[in-house]
Amino acid sequence: MKSNETIKVVPARYPLRIVGAGVALLVLAIVVQSVAFNPRWEWAVFARWFFDPVILEGLGQTLLLTLLGTALSVMFGGLLALCRLSSSWLLSSLAWAYIWLFRSLPLIVVLIVLYNFSYLYDTLSVGIPFTGITWASYQTINVLGQFSTAVVGLTLVQSAYTAEIIRGGFLGVDHGQYEAASALGLPAWRRTLRIILPQALRTILPSGFNEIISLAKGTAMVYVLAMPELFYTIQMIYNRTQEVIPLLMVGAVWYLVITSFLSAIQYLVERALAKSERRSAVNSNRSRAAVSTVTPTPEAAHAQLS
């Protein structure tokens, strides 16, 4: 081959990709045409109700339930995960039984039972069992109203799933990290928070955000309590106006907005964690290089003879 000849690079051709893209665009065009230009979707009704104050009030209730359910289930689920990982057989067994029970029960059943809890127990008391010592006593019907029942039910069920996600994240950390943290002489809570948890977060976050998104959609189940969250509000409106499809689309789009916002937060958090991980890797490589450059060279010892 002559030296002045140039090599012509021919990109690989994938005809099936072009065919697949064409079919996908065709299907997308059919869907867009059938949805956008079908008058039975009643997009004018959709636009009229989308920012209606009643709808926005129901949306606020849905967001509040999601926020409280997430915060409480993370705290309670974290405690359950630590109990499952505990060396105490009693704590581990009780946590396992709780997780087994509430992962087996449908959310709607838990909500209905809690809402009718006053039928089983007239009062809720705090005291010492099997004695007459009682520190506080409340009427059940006053404690478990619509909103509190929804929060408690969502938390009880969601905590069981969150506990298993957190436990899986801790189990995914190499056992050598536990041994190294113990060798430093740190207290158990500090080892968990400063060394083990940051490494477990990389495993916990994707599944954890999936559960938060499921919780945001699962708040629609509280309609059985006649609580005016987003889905129940939409039901009440279309039962009165008979505009079922456009109002269901209002709810669907708002749920899409909520889940898209949560997905964006997940992306930003995972990106920040990835950056910190790369930064720590670069710093460790630099420290290793610095140590290797300053290693002293052995000098020969000479004895002078007189």
Side-chain angles (χ1 to χ4, degrees):
M1 181 185 294
K2 295 181 180 179
S3 59
N4 57 355
E5 288 184 2
T6 58
I7 300 174
K8 184 179 180 181
V9 179
V10 179
R13 294 180 175 85
Y14 302 96
L16 290 180
R17 289 185 184 179
I18 299 174
V19 173
V23 171
L25 288 175
L26 178 62
V27 172
L28 179 62
I30 293 172
V31 172
V32 169
Q33 181 187 11
S34 65
V35 172
F37 298 99
N38 187 345
R40 295 184 181 180
W41 285 95
E42 300 180 81
W43 292 111
V45 178
F46 170 88
R48 186 175 78 246
W49 285 105
F50 191 71
F51 289 109
D52 190 90
V54 178
I55 298 291
L56 295 180
E57 186 177 350
L59 175 65
Q61 291 289 319
T62 294
L63 293 175
L64 185 58
L65 286 174
T66 303
L67 178 62
L68 292 176
T70 299
L72 294 174
S73 64
V74 167
M75 290 188 290
F76 192 40
L79 291 176
L80 286 172
L82 293 177
C83 290
R84 284 279 282 123
L85 296 170
S86 173
S87 55
S88 168
W89 68 268
L90 178 60
L91 289 177
S92 180
S93 300
L94 290 175
W96 177 88
Y98 177 94
I99 292 170
W100 166 77
L101 176 64
F102 283 100
R103 284 203 306 177
S104 304
L105 295 176
L107 174 60
I108 192 169
V109 173
V110 175
L111 291 172
I112 293 174
V113 170
L114 286 174
Y115 198 56
N116 294 279
F117 213 61
S118 58
Y119 171 76
L120 300 173
Y121 301 97
D122 295 328
T123 59
L124 296 176
S125 303
V126 180
I128 300 178
F130 307 109
T131 66
I133 302 175
T134 301
W135 297 312
S137 181
Y138 305 96
Q139 292 291 325
T140 306
I141 197 170
N142 296 330
V143 175
L144 290 175
Q146 288 178 324
F147 185 78
S148 55
T149 299
V151 172
V152 172
L154 290 170
T155 302
L156 289 176
V157 174
Q158 192 62 37
S159 296
Y161 293 95
T162 304
E164 286 298 278
I165 291 172
I166 295 175
R167 186 176 72 92
F170 278 100
L171 291 177
V173 178
D174 186 77
H175 189 67
Q177 298 294 321
Y178 290 89
E179 295 175 347
S182 301
L184 293 175
L186 299 174
W189 65 270
R190 194 169 183 183
R191 293 199 303 263
T192 303
L193 292 179
R194 299 295 300 273
I195 297 176
I196 307 303
L197 183 59
Q199 300 179 65
L201 278 177
R202 292 194 295 270
T203 307
I204 292 172
L205 277 176
S207 302
F209 269 98
N210 284 341
E211 286 301 317
I212 295 174
I213 291 173
S214 298
L215 176 63
K217 296 183 294 183
T219 56
M221 285 293 180
V222 305
Y223 80 93
V224 297
L225 309 178
M227 182 183 167
E229 47 79 46
L230 179 59
F231 184 65
Y232 182 79
T233 302
I234 287 172
Q235 276 188 316
M236 291 300 99
I237 295 174
Y238 72 59
N239 285 336
R240 188 179 71 249
T241 63
Q242 299 302 310
E243 297 167 333
V244 179
I245 295 299
L247 282 162
L248 285 177
M249 290 302 298
V250 168
V253 172
W254 274 123
Y255 282 118
L256 281 172
V257 171
I258 294 172
T259 55
S260 300
F261 179 72
L262 292 172
S263 299
I265 295 177
Q266 176 185 356
Y267 170 76
L268 293 175
V269 172
E270 290 181 350
R271 186 178 177 185
L273 281 177
K275 282 184 178 179
S276 64
E277 185 181 356
R278 287 196 297 268
R279 194 180 303 117
S280 62
V282 169
N283 291 336
S284 62
N285 290 336
R286 287 177 179 173
S287 61
R288 287 197 205 99
V291 168
S292 62
T293 53
V294 295
T295 357
T297 56
E299 296 181 356
H302 299 280
Q304 293 182 354
L305 298 177
S306 54

